Amino acid sequence: MNRIAIACFAATTLVSGAYAATTAMSTAPSDSVTITDYYKQDVYNPQQSKIGSVDDVLVDKSGKVTALVIGVGGFLGAGEKDVIVPFTAVKNEKKNDKWYLTLDESKDSLKGAPGFQYNKTTTSWEPQKR
């Protein structure tokens, strides 16, 4: 009985190890960036005035980043509104040896945009009820 248990454990270990070895990458893709370049980062207008912060990164079923959820307005999170902007609208810019996320919008225009709220049950962003 012990021999059967040990054989099963060994077989499971070998199969699991073989699977992991075939899915692991030996190098990071050269055309990729880390999500920390975006998630929880501040977003500025072209004049370097802060307009909000990235609250979430939206990804489609193929893994492509499609949009960013940006929290605008409010004070210390109170009264903040979440808006969704296309990922392609946000640019990474370097000024004074520091990287910034920039969006060609004003804080006021984003405050006027449709708001979204996160639904924990469906794990999706839904239009905010007025």
Side-chain angles (χ1 to χ4, degrees):
M1 186 75 150
N2 283 340
R3 286 185 185 175
I4 293 173
I6 291 171
C8 288
F9 176 74
T12 303
T13 303
L14 290 174
V15 170
S16 298
Y19 178 75
T22 61
T23 59
M25 299 176 80
S26 60
T27 61
S30 61
D31 60 344
S32 297
V33 296
T34 176
I35 198 164
T36 56
D37 287 348
Y38 296 91
Y39 184 63
K40 297 294 182 189
Q41 298 300 314
D42 293 333
V43 180
Y44 299 85
N45 65 16
Q47 294 76 35
Q48 294 184 353
S49 296
K50 182 179 171 185
I51 57 177
S53 298
V54 177
D55 289 339
D56 205 351
V57 178
L58 304 181
V59 181
D60 68 14
K61 291 186 187 316
S62 72
K64 179 182 173 190
V65 176
T66 57
L68 298 175
V69 178
I70 300 177
V72 296
F75 180 71
L76 298 175
E80 183 178 84
K81 175 182 179 178
D82 288 310
V83 298
I84 297 177
V85 300
F87 178 69
T88 55
V90 177
K91 304 295 180 219
N92 243 334
E93 294 185 18
K94 188 173 184 177
K95 293 182 182 177
N96 302 324
D97 292 328
K98 185 176 178 185
W99 285 98
Y100 293 89
L101 293 180
T102 60
L103 179 63
D104 223 3
E105 293 280 345
S106 69
K107 184 184 272 190
D108 289 334
S109 69
L110 290 178
K111 285 181 186 177
F116 289 81
Q117 58 191 20
Y118 185 72
N119 182 326
K120 291 179 184 179
T121 304
T122 61
T123 64
S124 63
W125 287 90
E126 299 174 348
Q128 199 170 36
K129 294 180 173 89
R130 295 186 182 245

